[in-house]
Amino acid sequence: MTPVGRKALLLGSGELGKEVAIELQRYGVEVIACDKYPNAPAMQVAHRSYVFNMLDPEELRRVIELEHPDHIIPEVEAIATPVLRQLEEEGYNVTPTATAAWLTMNREGIRRLAAEQLGLPTSPYRFASDFDEFRKAVEEIGIPCVVKPIMSSSGHGQSVIKSADDIERSWKIAQEGGRAGAGRVIVEGFVDFDYEITLLTVRSCSGTCYCEPVGHIQVDGDYRYSWQPQPMSASAIEKAQEIARKVTDALGGYGIFGVELFIKGDEVIFSEVSPRPHDTGMVTMISQDLSEFGLHARALLGLPVPAIRFYGPSASRAVVVEGDTDKIEMDNLEEVLAEPGVQMRIFGKPEVKGHRRMGVILATAETLEEARAKAERAYSKLKVNVLPR
């Protein structure tokens, strides 16, 4: 890299970080990838990488001061965010802002911002730090309800309480699944909704713009399918964009935000927001001229996003592998990719312990129904061989 080039440091190097790294490199940016395990997907394409616990404030500061990047880009929640706030005060540039990373690292910060400060419609909720508080919170919210650690992602630690018999089990799941270990949880009232969406919202020097709404299905809180555009009434789209603008304006900075919303008829309820590309947004790798990763890179670099060109109905299907191995074969790709309008990304994660998202199938077609069916047909032809270690 040249002495005058820009340098970006990724905090989190999974499949989303990998795509951001590639997009940044298209603008000549030097990319350093960090994560808690070696050979993470973004590390495979970055210029350099570091392996360390990003929740360790001293080590996080050491690496950042050593590299002195122009852009610090959090790509996961499990980061010692108070250090990022200190570094931002010292002149470092955090994407989109250190406060956004801090507030969204745990569900309590963003829920209180949305519901209590901005007055956005949300599900009823309570927080609990120990089992007694938890039991009381479940009582107040009522059954059924959803339980999540305040710090987790991809559905880890999430469960649904359907009867009183589930209370102890759900507490245990939340304590074991938290990103930063055992601790505080949120208990949310069950929301009666028709469907849920991710509204990818871009803040750039051109202003705020929105991708077509992304519909999705989650299993145990982890994304399995997404499609674009999710059919919505004009009124619901308007309300969704208004909520997304309010919450992203409050967080500030430049970049893409994944705003998750529940839709019931024309009513829109805020759920969560990620100040970074969203897993359900991987469908944009086939549906738009600029994917969510390209939009993120462009916005955070201070470049204009004058328009987003949407190509047409598209779908994605996550490839989730179960087992305990570091040897996985993705086979029969000649059949998977036989139909026009089908693509695939294999993430290159080094191992699986339990279940892990290892790839994604993408499809585009004339109609939404056909795009979703095409993605599912391609998925059905995929053979995943899980070999012993």
Side-chain angles (χ1 to χ4, degrees):
M1 301 304 293
T2 68
V4 294
R6 284 212 209 176
K7 185 192 291 188
L9 187 137
L10 289 174
L11 296 175
S13 297
E15 63 267 33
L16 306 184
K18 181 178 186 176
E19 296 296 330
V20 172
I22 291 168
E23 293 291 348
L24 287 169
Q25 288 172 347
R26 289 189 168 125
Y27 292 104
V29 178
E30 182 179 3
V31 178
I32 299 96
C34 304
D35 215 313
K36 63 183 179 181
Y37 65 95
N39 201 30
M43 293 179 182
Q44 297 163 23
V45 298
H47 295 90
R48 286 188 302 292
S49 63
Y50 294 88
V51 178
F52 66 98
N53 178 7
M54 293 176 293
L55 287 166
D56 180 338
E58 291 181 7
E59 190 63 9
L60 179 61
R61 177 176 276 276
R62 185 190 74 80
V63 171
I64 290 171
E65 288 182 342
L66 179 66
E67 286 290 349
H68 205 83
D70 300 285
H71 302 276
I72 299 169
I73 308 172
E75 286 296 311
V76 295
E77 291 87 358
I79 300 168
T81 49
V83 171
L84 296 185
R85 299 182 84 188
Q86 293 165 9
L87 289 165
E88 191 174 70
E89 288 175 6
E90 294 166 23
Y92 284 90
N93 179 15
V94 180
T95 299
T97 65
T99 297
W102 173 66
L103 281 172
T104 57
M105 180 190 178
N106 73 71
R107 291 184 168 92
E108 183 163 6
I110 194 61
R111 180 56 63 93
R112 292 197 187 281
L113 171 70
E116 298 168 22
Q117 294 182 42
L118 301 178
L120 302 179
T122 69
S123 60
Y125 60 92
R126 297 286 187 280
F127 295 100
S129 296
D130 57 43
F131 185 71
D132 288 340
E133 279 186 11
F134 175 66
R135 188 185 288 277
K136 186 181 176 190
V138 172
E139 227 173 79
E140 291 174 356
I141 292 296
I143 294 173
C145 57
V146 181
V147 179
K148 306 171 188 173
I150 62 167
M151 287 190 285
S152 72
S153 63
S154 301
H156 294 296
Q158 182 171 321
S159 64
V160 177
I161 296 178
K162 297 177 181 175
S163 73
D165 295 339
D166 295 331
I167 292 175
E168 284 193 33
R169 179 186 65 87
S170 286
W171 174 255
K172 187 179 178 187
I173 289 170
Q175 296 306 296
E176 290 173 352
R179 205 81 187 259
R184 202 159 161 84
V185 304
I186 183 172
V187 179
E188 292 186 88
F190 223 70
V191 176
D192 177 26
F193 60 89
D194 298 329
Y195 53 92
E196 54 186 322
I197 66 164
T198 304
L199 187 60
L200 296 168
T201 304
V202 186
R203 296 185 91 249
S204 74
C205 62
S206 304
T208 298
C209 59
Y210 311 91
C211 298
E212 292 288 330
V214 177
H216 53 86
I217 293 174
Q218 299 187 10
V219 177
D220 297 326
D222 195 14
Y223 137 81
R224 291 289 188 275
Y225 312 85
S226 70
W227 54 89
Q228 195 184 22
Q230 167 64 46
M232 295 174 66
S233 70
S235 174
I237 287 176
E238 189 179 335
K239 288 176 184 174
Q241 291 182 350
E242 182 185 352
I243 288 172
R245 180 183 283 275
K246 282 181 178 176
V247 75
T248 55
D249 280 355
L251 294 173
Y254 287 167
I256 200 163
F257 297 78
V259 183
E260 295 181 62
L261 303 160
F262 297 118
I263 316 295
K264 178 72 172 176
D266 288 343
E267 295 308 305
V268 182
I269 297 170
F270 174 80
S271 175
E272 295 183 5
V273 58
S274 301
R276 60 186 69 89
H278 200 273
D279 52 6
T280 62
M282 283 192 279
V283 67
T284 62
M285 288 190 282
I286 200 169
S287 68
Q288 302 179 171
D289 63 337
L290 288 169
S291 72
E292 62 171 342
F293 311 105
L295 291 167
H296 195 48
R298 210 148 142 164
L300 73 89
L301 291 172
L303 300 173
V305 180
I308 301 167
R309 185 180 175 198
F310 180 66
Y311 290 142
S314 305
S316 78
R317 174 64 156 92
V319 178
V320 178
V321 178
E322 294 190 8
D324 184 354
T325 183
D326 57 356
K327 298 181 183 69
I328 297 158
E329 289 179 348
M330 300 281 186
D331 205 357
N332 204 36
L333 296 192
E334 62 275 12
E335 291 294 323
V336 172
L337 301 172
E339 282 193 74
V342 175
Q343 297 180 22
M344 185 176 183
R345 304 286 190 276
I346 296 173
F347 301 147
K349 292 177 180 176
E351 65 176 0
V352 175
K353 287 183 180 178
H355 72 275
R356 199 172 193 189
R357 192 167 56 229
M358 303 297 283
V360 67
I361 289 171
L362 307 163
T364 188
E366 291 299 313
T367 68
L368 197 55
E369 292 71 23
E370 178 55 22
R372 292 180 65 180
K374 190 185 284 188
E376 196 57 35
R377 284 196 299 274
Y379 178 79
S380 70
K381 295 170 186 172
L382 179 66
K383 294 178 181 175
V384 181
N385 302 320
V386 179
L387 307 175
R389 285 184 184 269

